[in-house]
Coordinates of all heavy atoms in Angstrom, one line a residue:
M377 N -8.2 14.8 -8.4 CA -8.7 13.9 -7.3 C -7.6 13.8 -6.2 O -6.5 13.8 -6.5 CB -9.1 12.6 -7.8 CG -10.4 12.5 -8.4 SD -10.7 10.7 -8.8 CE -10.9 10.9 -10.6
E378 N -8.0 13.6 -5.0 CA -7.1 13.4 -4.0 C -6.6 12.0 -4.0 O -7.2 11.1 -4.6 CB -7.7 13.7 -2.6 CG -8.1 15.1 -2.4 CD -8.8 15.3 -1.1 OE1 -8.5 14.5 -0.1 OE2 -9.5 16.3 -0.9
D379 N -5.4 11.7 -3.4 CA -4.9 10.4 -3.4 C -5.9 9.4 -2.8 O -6.5 9.6 -1.8 CB -3.6 10.3 -2.5 CG -2.8 9.1 -2.6 OD1 -2.8 8.5 -3.7 OD2 -2.2 8.6 -1.6
G380 N -6.2 8.3 -3.6 CA -7.1 7.3 -3.2 C -8.6 7.6 -3.5 O -9.4 6.8 -3.3
A381 N -8.8 8.8 -4.1 CA -10.2 9.2 -4.4 C -10.6 8.4 -5.7 O -9.8 7.9 -6.4 CB -10.2 10.7 -4.7
H382 N -11.9 8.3 -5.9 CA -12.4 7.6 -7.0 C -13.7 8.1 -7.5 O -14.4 8.8 -6.8 CB -12.5 6.1 -6.7 CG -13.5 5.8 -5.6 ND1 -13.1 5.9 -4.3 CD2 -14.8 5.6 -5.6 CE1 -14.2 5.7 -3.5 NE2 -15.2 5.5 -4.3
E383 N -13.9 7.9 -8.8 CA -15.2 8.2 -9.4 C -15.8 6.9 -9.9 O -15.1 6.0 -10.4 CB -15.0 9.1 -10.6 CG -14.6 10.5 -10.3 CD -14.5 11.4 -11.5 OE1 -15.0 11.0 -12.6 OE2 -13.9 12.4 -11.4
R384 N -17.1 6.7 -9.7 CA -17.7 5.5 -10.1 C -18.6 5.7 -11.4 O -19.2 6.7 -11.5 CB -18.6 4.9 -9.0 CG -17.7 4.5 -7.8 CD -18.6 4.0 -6.7 NE -19.5 3.0 -7.1 CZ -20.4 2.5 -6.3 NH1 -20.4 2.8 -5.1 NH2 -21.3 1.6 -6.8
S385 N -18.5 4.8 -12.3 CA -19.4 4.8 -13.4 C -20.1 3.4 -13.6 O -19.8 2.5 -12.8 CB -18.6 5.1 -14.7 OG -17.7 4.1 -15.0
A386 N -20.9 3.3 -14.6 CA -21.6 2.0 -14.8 C -20.7 0.8 -15.0 O -21.0 -0.3 -14.5 CB -22.6 2.1 -15.9
S387 N -19.5 1.0 -15.6 CA -18.7 -0.2 -15.9 C -17.3 -0.1 -15.4 O -16.6 -1.1 -15.5 CB -18.6 -0.4 -17.5 OG -18.0 0.7 -18.0
G388 N -16.9 1.0 -14.8 CA -15.5 1.1 -14.3 C -15.4 2.2 -13.3 O -16.3 2.8 -12.9
A389 N -14.1 2.4 -12.9 CA -13.8 3.5 -12.0 C -12.5 4.1 -12.4 O -11.6 3.4 -12.9 CB -13.8 2.9 -10.6
D390 N -12.4 5.4 -12.2 CA -11.1 6.1 -12.4 C -10.5 6.4 -11.1 O -11.2 6.9 -10.2 CB -11.3 7.4 -13.2 CG -11.9 7.1 -14.6 OD1 -11.6 6.1 -15.1 OD2 -12.6 8.0 -15.1
F391 N -9.2 6.2 -10.9 CA -8.5 6.4 -9.7 C -7.2 7.2 -9.9 O -6.7 7.2 -11.0 CB -8.0 5.0 -9.1 CG -9.2 4.1 -8.7 CD1 -9.7 3.2 -9.7 CD2 -9.7 4.1 -7.5 CE1 -10.7 2.4 -9.4 CE2 -10.8 3.2 -7.2 CZ -11.3 2.4 -8.1
S392 N -6.7 7.8 -8.9 CA -5.4 8.5 -9.0 C -4.7 8.3 -7.7 O -5.3 8.1 -6.6 CB -5.6 10.0 -9.3 OG -6.3 10.6 -8.2
S393 N -3.4 8.4 -7.8 CA -2.5 8.3 -6.6 C -1.2 9.1 -6.8 O -0.8 9.2 -8.0 CB -2.2 6.8 -6.4 OG -1.3 6.7 -5.3
D394 N -0.6 9.5 -5.8 CA 0.7 10.2 -5.9 C 1.9 9.3 -5.7 O 3.0 9.7 -5.9 CB 0.8 11.3 -4.8 CG -0.2 12.4 -5.0 OD1 -0.5 12.7 -6.2 OD2 -0.7 13.0 -4.0
S395 N 1.6 8.0 -5.5 CA 2.7 7.0 -5.2 C 2.4 5.7 -6.0 O 1.4 5.0 -5.8 CB 2.7 6.7 -3.7 OG 3.6 5.5 -3.5
L396 N 3.3 5.4 -7.0 CA 3.1 4.2 -7.8 C 3.3 3.0 -6.9 O 2.6 2.0 -7.1 CB 4.2 4.1 -8.9 CG 3.9 5.0 -10.1 CD1 5.0 4.9 -11.1 CD2 2.6 4.8 -10.7
E397 N 4.2 3.0 -5.9 CA 4.4 1.9 -5.0 C 3.1 1.6 -4.2 O 2.6 0.5 -4.1 CB 5.5 2.2 -4.1 CG 5.9 1.0 -3.1 CD 7.1 1.3 -2.3 OE1 8.2 1.4 -2.8 OE2 6.9 1.4 -1.0
A398 N 2.5 2.7 -3.6 CA 1.3 2.5 -2.8 C 0.1 2.1 -3.7 O -0.7 1.2 -3.4 CB 0.9 3.8 -2.1
A399 N 0.0 2.6 -4.9 CA -1.1 2.3 -5.9 C -0.9 0.8 -6.3 O -1.9 0.1 -6.4 CB -1.1 3.2 -7.1
T400 N 0.3 0.4 -6.6 CA 0.6 -1.0 -7.0 C 0.1 -1.9 -5.9 O -0.6 -2.9 -6.2 CB 2.0 -1.2 -7.3 OG1 2.4 -0.4 -8.4 CG2 2.3 -2.6 -7.7
A401 N 0.4 -1.7 -4.7 CA 0.0 -2.5 -3.6 C -1.5 -2.5 -3.4 O -2.1 -3.5 -3.2 CB 0.7 -2.1 -2.3
F402 N -2.1 -1.3 -3.5 CA -3.5 -1.1 -3.3 C -4.3 -1.9 -4.3 O -5.2 -2.7 -4.0 CB -3.9 0.4 -3.4 CG -5.3 0.7 -3.3 CD1 -6.0 0.7 -2.0 CD2 -6.1 0.9 -4.4 CE1 -7.3 1.0 -1.9 CE2 -7.5 1.1 -4.3 CZ -8.1 1.2 -3.1
Y403 N -4.0 -1.7 -5.6 CA -4.7 -2.4 -6.7 C -4.4 -3.9 -6.7 O -5.3 -4.7 -7.1 CB -4.5 -1.7 -8.0 CG -4.9 -0.3 -8.0 CD1 -4.1 0.8 -8.3 CD2 -6.3 0.0 -7.7 CE1 -4.5 2.1 -8.2 CE2 -6.7 1.3 -7.7 CZ -5.8 2.4 -7.9 OH -6.2 3.7 -7.9
G404 N -3.2 -4.3 -6.3 CA -2.9 -5.7 -6.2 C -3.8 -6.3 -5.1 O -4.4 -7.4 -5.3
D405 N -4.0 -5.7 -4.0 CA -4.9 -6.2 -2.9 C -6.4 -6.2 -3.3 O -7.1 -7.2 -3.1 CB -4.7 -5.4 -1.6 CG -3.4 -5.5 -1.0 OD1 -2.7 -6.5 -1.3 OD2 -3.1 -4.7 -0.1
V406 N -6.8 -5.1 -4.0 CA -8.3 -5.0 -4.3 C -8.6 -5.9 -5.5 O -9.7 -6.6 -5.5 CB -8.6 -3.5 -4.6 CG1 -10.1 -3.4 -5.1 CG2 -8.5 -2.7 -3.3
F407 N -7.8 -5.9 -6.5 CA -8.2 -6.6 -7.8 C -7.4 -7.9 -8.0 O -7.6 -8.6 -9.0 CB -8.0 -5.7 -9.0 CG -8.9 -4.4 -8.9 CD1 -8.4 -3.2 -8.6 CD2 -10.2 -4.6 -9.1 CE1 -9.2 -2.1 -8.6 CE2 -11.1 -3.5 -9.1 CZ -10.5 -2.2 -8.8
G408 N -6.4 -8.1 -7.2 CA -5.5 -9.3 -7.3 C -4.6 -9.3 -8.5 O -4.2 -10.3 -9.1
L409 N -4.3 -8.0 -9.0 CA -3.4 -7.9 -10.1 C -1.9 -7.8 -9.7 O -1.6 -7.3 -8.6 CB -3.7 -6.6 -10.9 CG -5.2 -6.5 -11.3 CD1 -5.4 -5.1 -12.0 CD2 -5.5 -7.6 -12.3
Q410 N -1.0 -8.3 -10.5 CA 0.4 -8.4 -10.3 C 1.1 -7.6 -11.3 O 0.7 -7.5 -12.5 CB 0.9 -9.8 -10.3 CG 0.2 -10.7 -9.3 CD 0.5 -10.3 -7.8 OE1 1.6 -9.9 -7.5 NE2 -0.5 -10.2 -7.0
P411 N 2.3 -6.9 -11.0 CA 3.1 -6.2 -12.0 C 3.6 -7.1 -13.1 O 4.1 -8.2 -12.8 CB 4.3 -5.7 -11.2 CG 3.8 -5.7 -9.7 CD 2.9 -6.8 -9.6
V412 N 3.4 -6.7 -14.3 CA 3.9 -7.5 -15.5 C 4.8 -6.6 -16.3 O 5.5 -7.1 -17.2 CB 2.7 -8.0 -16.4 CG1 1.9 -9.1 -15.6 CG2 1.8 -6.9 -16.9
M413 N 4.8 -5.3 -16.0 CA 5.7 -4.4 -16.7 C 6.0 -3.2 -15.8 O 5.1 -2.7 -15.1 CB 5.1 -3.8 -18.0 CG 6.0 -2.8 -18.7 SD 5.2 -1.9 -20.1 CE 4.2 -0.8 -19.1
D414 N 7.3 -2.8 -15.6 CA 7.6 -1.6 -14.8 C 8.7 -0.9 -15.4 O 9.9 -1.3 -15.5 CB 8.0 -2.1 -13.4 CG 8.3 -1.0 -12.4 OD1 8.4 0.2 -12.9 OD2 8.4 -1.3 -11.2
H415 N 8.4 0.3 -16.0 CA 9.4 1.2 -16.6 C 9.7 2.4 -15.6 O 10.4 3.3 -16.1 CB 8.9 1.8 -17.9 CG 8.8 0.7 -19.0 ND1 9.9 0.2 -19.6 CD2 7.8 0.1 -19.6 CE1 9.6 -0.7 -20.5 NE2 8.3 -0.7 -20.5
G416 N 9.3 2.3 -14.4 CA 9.6 3.3 -13.4 C 8.6 4.4 -13.4 O 8.1 4.8 -12.4
W417 N 8.2 4.9 -14.6 CA 7.1 6.0 -14.6 C 5.8 5.4 -15.0 O 4.8 6.1 -14.8 CB 7.5 7.1 -15.6 CG 7.6 6.6 -17.1 CD1 8.6 6.0 -17.7 CD2 6.5 6.7 -18.0 NE1 8.2 5.7 -19.0 CE2 6.9 6.1 -19.2 CE3 5.2 7.2 -18.0 CZ2 6.2 6.0 -20.3 CZ3 4.4 7.1 -19.1 CH2 4.9 6.6 -20.3
I418 N 5.7 4.2 -15.5 CA 4.5 3.5 -15.8 C 4.6 2.0 -15.4 O 5.6 1.4 -15.7 CB 4.1 3.6 -17.3 CG1 2.7 2.9 -17.5 CG2 5.2 3.1 -18.2 CD1 2.1 3.1 -18.9
I419 N 3.7 1.5 -14.6 CA 3.6 0.2 -14.2 C 2.3 -0.4 -14.7 O 1.2 0.1 -14.5 CB 3.7 0.0 -12.7 CG1 5.0 0.6 -12.2 CG2 3.5 -1.4 -12.2 CD1 5.1 0.7 -10.6
T420 N 2.4 -1.6 -15.3 CA 1.2 -2.3 -15.8 C 1.0 -3.5 -14.9 O 1.9 -4.3 -14.7 CB 1.3 -2.7 -17.3 OG1 1.4 -1.5 -18.1 CG2 0.0 -3.5 -17.7
L421 N -0.2 -3.6 -14.3 CA -0.6 -4.8 -13.5 C -1.6 -5.6 -14.3 O -2.4 -5.1 -15.1 CB -1.3 -4.3 -12.2 CG -0.6 -3.2 -11.4 CD1 -1.4 -2.7 -10.3 CD2 0.8 -3.7 -10.9
A422 N -1.5 -6.9 -14.1 CA -2.4 -7.8 -14.8 C -2.8 -9.0 -14.0 O -2.1 -9.4 -13.1 CB -1.8 -8.3 -16.2
D423 N -3.9 -9.6 -14.3 CA -4.3 -10.9 -13.8 C -3.6 -11.9 -14.6 O -3.9 -12.1 -15.8 CB -5.9 -11.0 -13.9 CG -6.4 -12.3 -13.3 OD1 -5.7 -13.3 -13.3 OD2 -7.5 -12.3 -12.7
R424 N -2.7 -12.7 -14.0 CA -1.9 -13.7 -14.7 C -2.8 -14.8 -15.4 O -2.4 -15.3 -16.4 CB -0.9 -14.3 -13.8 CG 0.1 -13.2 -13.4 CD 1.4 -13.7 -12.8 NE 2.2 -12.7 -12.2 CZ 3.2 -12.0 -12.9 NH1 3.3 -12.3 -14.2 NH2 3.9 -11.1 -12.3
E425 N -4.0 -15.0 -14.8 CA -4.8 -16.0 -15.4 C -5.7 -15.5 -16.5 O -6.2 -16.2 -17.3 CB -5.7 -16.7 -14.3 CG -4.9 -17.5 -13.3 CD -5.7 -18.2 -12.3 OE1 -7.0 -18.2 -12.4 OE2 -5.2 -18.6 -11.3
R426 N -5.9 -14.1 -16.5 CA -6.7 -13.4 -17.5 C -5.9 -12.2 -17.9 O -6.2 -11.1 -17.5 CB -8.1 -13.0 -16.9 CG -9.0 -14.2 -16.6 CD -10.3 -13.7 -16.1 NE -10.2 -12.6 -15.2 CZ -11.0 -11.5 -15.2 NH1 -12.0 -11.4 -16.1 NH2 -10.9 -10.6 -14.3
P427 N -4.9 -12.4 -18.8 CA -4.0 -11.3 -19.1 C -4.6 -10.1 -19.7 O -4.1 -9.0 -19.7 CB -2.9 -11.9 -20.0 CG -3.4 -13.2 -20.4 CD -4.5 -13.6 -19.4
Q428 N -5.8 -10.2 -20.2 CA -6.6 -9.1 -20.8 C -7.0 -8.1 -19.7 O -7.4 -7.0 -20.0 CB -7.7 -9.5 -21.7 CG -8.9 -10.1 -21.0 CD -8.8 -11.6 -20.6 OE1 -7.7 -12.2 -20.6 NE2 -9.9 -12.2 -20.2
A429 N -7.1 -8.6 -18.5 CA -7.5 -7.7 -17.3 C -6.2 -7.0 -16.9 O -5.4 -7.6 -16.2 CB -8.1 -8.6 -16.2
Q430 N -6.1 -5.8 -17.3 CA -4.9 -5.0 -17.0 C -5.2 -3.6 -16.5 O -6.3 -3.1 -16.7 CB -4.0 -4.8 -18.3 CG -3.4 -6.1 -18.8 CD -2.5 -5.8 -19.9 OE1 -2.2 -4.7 -20.4 NE2 -1.9 -6.9 -20.4
L431 N -4.2 -3.1 -15.7 CA -4.3 -1.7 -15.2 C -3.0 -1.1 -15.3 O -2.0 -1.7 -14.9 CB -4.8 -1.8 -13.7 CG -4.5 -0.5 -12.9 CD1 -5.4 0.6 -13.4 CD2 -4.8 -0.8 -11.5
S432 N -2.8 0.0 -16.0 CA -1.6 0.8 -16.0 C -1.6 2.0 -15.1 O -2.6 2.7 -15.2 CB -1.2 1.2 -17.5 OG -1.0 0.0 -18.2
L433 N -0.6 2.1 -14.3 CA -0.5 3.3 -13.4 C 0.7 4.1 -13.9 O 1.7 3.6 -14.2 CB -0.2 2.8 -12.0 CG -1.2 1.8 -11.4 CD1 -0.7 1.1 -10.2 CD2 -2.6 2.5 -11.1
M434 N 0.4 5.5 -13.9 CA 1.5 6.4 -14.4 C 1.7 7.5 -13.5 O 0.9 8.0 -12.8 CB 1.0 6.9 -15.7 CG 0.8 5.9 -16.8 SD -0.3 6.5 -18.1 CE -1.9 6.1 -17.4
T435 N 3.0 8.0 -13.5 CA 3.3 9.2 -12.9 C 3.1 10.3 -13.9 O 2.6 10.1 -15.0 CB 4.8 9.2 -12.5 OG1 5.6 9.1 -13.6 CG2 5.1 8.2 -11.4
R436 N 3.4 11.5 -13.6 CA 3.2 12.6 -14.5 C 3.9 12.4 -15.8 O 5.1 12.1 -15.8 CB 3.7 13.9 -13.8 CG 3.7 15.1 -14.7 CD 4.1 16.3 -14.0 NE 3.0 17.2 -14.3 CZ 2.2 17.9 -13.5 NH1 2.2 17.8 -12.4 NH2 1.2 18.6 -13.7
D437 N 3.2 12.6 -16.9 CA 3.8 12.5 -18.2 C 4.1 13.9 -18.7 O 3.1 14.7 -18.9 CB 2.9 11.8 -19.1 CG 3.4 11.7 -20.6 OD1 4.4 12.3 -20.9 OD2 2.8 10.9 -21.3
A438 N 5.4 14.3 -18.8 CA 5.7 15.7 -19.2 C 5.2 16.1 -20.5 O 5.0 17.3 -20.8 CB 7.2 15.9 -19.2
T439 N 4.8 15.1 -21.4 CA 4.3 15.5 -22.7 C 2.8 15.5 -22.8 O 2.3 15.9 -23.8 CB 4.8 14.4 -23.8 OG1 4.3 13.2 -23.5 CG2 6.3 14.3 -23.8
A440 N 2.2 15.1 -21.7 CA 0.7 15.1 -21.7 C 0.1 16.4 -21.2 O 0.7 17.1 -20.3 CB 0.2 14.0 -20.8
P441 N -1.1 16.8 -21.7 CA -1.7 18.1 -21.2 C -2.3 18.0 -19.9 O -2.6 19.0 -19.3 CB -2.7 18.4 -22.3 CG -3.0 17.1 -22.9 CD -1.8 16.2 -22.8
V442 N -2.5 16.8 -19.4 CA -3.1 16.6 -18.0 C -2.4 15.5 -17.3 O -1.6 14.7 -17.9 CB -4.6 16.2 -18.1 CG1 -5.4 17.2 -18.8 CG2 -4.7 14.9 -18.9
I443 N -2.5 15.5 -16.0 CA -1.9 14.4 -15.2 C -2.8 13.2 -15.3 O -4.0 13.2 -15.1 CB -1.9 14.8 -13.7 CG1 -1.0 16.1 -13.5 CG2 -1.3 13.7 -12.8 CD1 -1.0 16.7 -12.1
P444 N -2.2 12.1 -15.8 CA -3.0 10.9 -16.0 C -3.5 10.2 -14.8 O -2.9 10.3 -13.7 CB -2.0 10.0 -16.8 CG -0.7 10.4 -16.4 CD -0.8 11.9 -16.1
D445 N -4.7 9.6 -14.9 CA -5.3 8.8 -13.8 C -5.3 7.4 -14.4 O -5.1 7.2 -15.6 CB -6.7 9.2 -13.5 CG -6.8 10.5 -12.8 OD1 -5.8 10.9 -12.1 OD2 -7.8 11.2 -12.9
A446 N -5.5 6.4 -13.5 CA -5.7 5.1 -14.0 C -7.2 4.9 -14.3 O -8.0 5.4 -13.6 CB -5.3 4.1 -12.9
S447 N -7.4 4.1 -15.3 CA -8.8 3.8 -15.7 C -8.9 2.3 -15.7 O -8.1 1.6 -16.3 CB -9.1 4.4 -17.1 OG -10.5 4.1 -17.4
I448 N -9.9 1.8 -15.0 CA -10.1 0.3 -14.9 C -11.5 0.0 -15.4 O -12.5 0.6 -15.0 CB -10.0 -0.1 -13.4 CG1 -8.7 0.4 -12.8 CG2 -10.1 -1.6 -13.3 CD1 -8.7 0.3 -11.3
Q449 N -11.6 -1.1 -16.2 CA -12.9 -1.6 -16.6 C -13.1 -3.0 -15.9 O -12.2 -3.8 -16.0 CB -13.0 -1.8 -18.1 CG -14.3 -2.3 -18.5 CD -14.5 -2.3 -20.0 OE1 -13.7 -1.7 -20.8 NE2 -15.4 -3.1 -20.5
V450 N -14.2 -3.1 -15.2 CA -14.5 -4.4 -14.5 C -15.9 -4.8 -14.9 O -16.7 -4.0 -15.3 CB -14.3 -4.2 -13.0 CG1 -12.9 -3.9 -12.6 CG2 -15.3 -3.1 -12.5
D451 N -16.2 -6.1 -14.7 CA -17.6 -6.6 -14.9 C -18.6 -6.0 -13.9 O -19.7 -5.7 -14.2 CB -17.6 -8.1 -14.9 CG -16.9 -8.7 -16.0 OD1 -16.8 -8.0 -17.1 OD2 -16.4 -9.8 -15.9
D452 N -18.1 -5.8 -12.6 CA -19.0 -5.4 -11.6 C -18.3 -4.4 -10.7 O -17.6 -4.8 -9.7 CB -19.5 -6.6 -10.8 CG -20.6 -6.3 -9.7 OD1 -20.7 -5.1 -9.4 OD2 -21.2 -7.2 -9.3
V453 N -18.4 -3.1 -11.0 CA -17.7 -2.1 -10.2 C -18.2 -2.0 -8.8 O -17.4 -1.8 -7.9 CB -17.9 -0.7 -10.9 CG1 -19.3 -0.2 -10.8 CG2 -16.9 0.3 -10.3
D454 N -19.4 -2.3 -8.5 CA -19.9 -2.3 -7.1 C -19.3 -3.4 -6.3 O -18.9 -3.2 -5.1 CB -21.4 -2.4 -7.1 CG -22.1 -1.2 -7.6 OD1 -21.6 -0.1 -7.4 OD2 -23.1 -1.3 -8.4
A455 N -19.1 -4.6 -6.9 CA -18.5 -5.7 -6.1 C -17.0 -5.4 -5.8 O -16.5 -5.6 -4.7 CB -18.5 -7.0 -6.9
C456 N -16.3 -4.7 -6.7 CA -14.9 -4.3 -6.5 C -14.9 -3.2 -5.4 O -14.0 -3.2 -4.6 CB -14.3 -3.8 -7.8 SG -13.9 -5.2 -8.9
H457 N -15.8 -2.3 -5.5 CA -15.9 -1.1 -4.6 C -16.0 -1.7 -3.1 O -15.4 -1.1 -2.2 CB -17.0 -0.2 -4.9 CG -17.0 1.1 -4.1 ND1 -17.9 1.3 -3.1 CD2 -16.2 2.1 -4.2 CE1 -17.6 2.4 -2.5 NE2 -16.6 3.0 -3.2
I458 N -16.8 -2.7 -3.0 CA -17.0 -3.3 -1.6 C -15.7 -3.8 -1.1 O -15.5 -3.8 0.1 CB -18.1 -4.4 -1.7 CG1 -19.5 -3.7 -1.9 CG2 -18.1 -5.2 -0.4 CD1 -20.6 -4.7 -2.3
R459 N -14.9 -4.3 -1.9 CA -13.6 -4.9 -1.5 C -12.5 -3.9 -1.1 O -11.5 -4.2 -0.6 CB -13.1 -5.9 -2.6 CG -14.0 -7.1 -2.7 CD -13.7 -8.0 -3.9 NE -12.3 -8.2 -4.2 CZ -11.8 -8.6 -5.3 NH1 -12.6 -8.9 -6.3 NH2 -10.5 -8.8 -5.5
I460 N -12.8 -2.6 -1.4 CA -11.8 -1.6 -1.1 C -11.8 -1.4 0.4 O -12.8 -1.1 1.1 CB -12.1 -0.3 -1.8 CG1 -12.1 -0.4 -3.3 CG2 -11.2 0.8 -1.3 CD1 -12.5 0.8 -4.1
P461 N -10.6 -1.6 1.1 CA -10.5 -1.5 2.5 C -10.8 -0.1 3.0 O -10.4 0.9 2.4 CB -9.0 -1.9 2.8 CG -8.3 -1.7 1.5 CD -9.3 -1.8 0.4
N462 N -11.4 0.0 4.1 CA -11.7 1.3 4.8 C -12.5 2.3 4.0 O -12.4 3.5 4.3 CB -10.4 1.9 5.4 CG -9.7 1.0 6.3 OD1 -10.2 0.3 7.1 ND2 -8.4 0.9 6.1
G463 N -13.2 1.9 3.0 CA -14.0 2.8 2.2 C -13.2 3.9 1.5 O -13.7 4.9 1.2
Q464 N -12.0 3.6 1.2 CA -11.1 4.6 0.5 C -11.6 5.0 -0.8 O -12.2 4.3 -1.5 CB -9.7 4.1 0.4 CG -9.1 3.9 1.8 CD -7.6 3.4 1.6 OE1 -7.0 3.4 0.6 NE2 -7.1 2.9 2.7

């Protein structure tokens, strides 16, 4: 997928980005998640009031057979999609 591209499903959406910094800011703005772990190659964002709501963003994992994307599960994917700025 291209940077900022997304696929929609009934319960969630898969996203990818070439920049952890940009993705962290983007998902923080859209979902209100804040960094709770940062190892440089993987950053986990969470809702501090609902810590079970998490999103991990990764750069290329040299041991993985594919480039990882972020996977997010939400109660209402359409409501979150509407909040994405500029229809990205």
Side-chain angles (χ1 to χ4, degrees):
M377 278 185 240
E378 295 179 24
D379 191 33
H382 61 273
E383 290 182 17
R384 293 175 52 181
S385 67
S387 64
D390 296 331
F391 298 88
S392 64
S393 176
D394 294 328
S395 167
L396 286 180
E397 183 177 295
T400 298
F402 178 82
Y403 299 119
D405 291 344
V406 172
F407 298 106
L409 304 176
Q410 301 297 315
V412 294
M413 179 192 75
D414 183 347
H415 289 290
W417 68 275
I418 180 170
I419 298 172
T420 298
L421 308 175
D423 182 326
R424 295 194 189 272
E425 294 180 17
R426 293 182 316 137
Q428 72 277 15
Q430 295 186 358
L431 163 68
S432 292
L433 305 166
M434 298 159 275
T435 59
R436 171 176 235 120
D437 179 349
T439 64
V442 297
I443 299 171
D445 290 334
S447 182
I448 306 168
Q449 182 174 344
V450 297
D451 291 332
D452 187 343
V453 70
D454 292 319
C456 290
H457 187 258
I458 289 169
R459 292 174 37 198
I460 297 173
N462 303 320
Q464 296 180 12

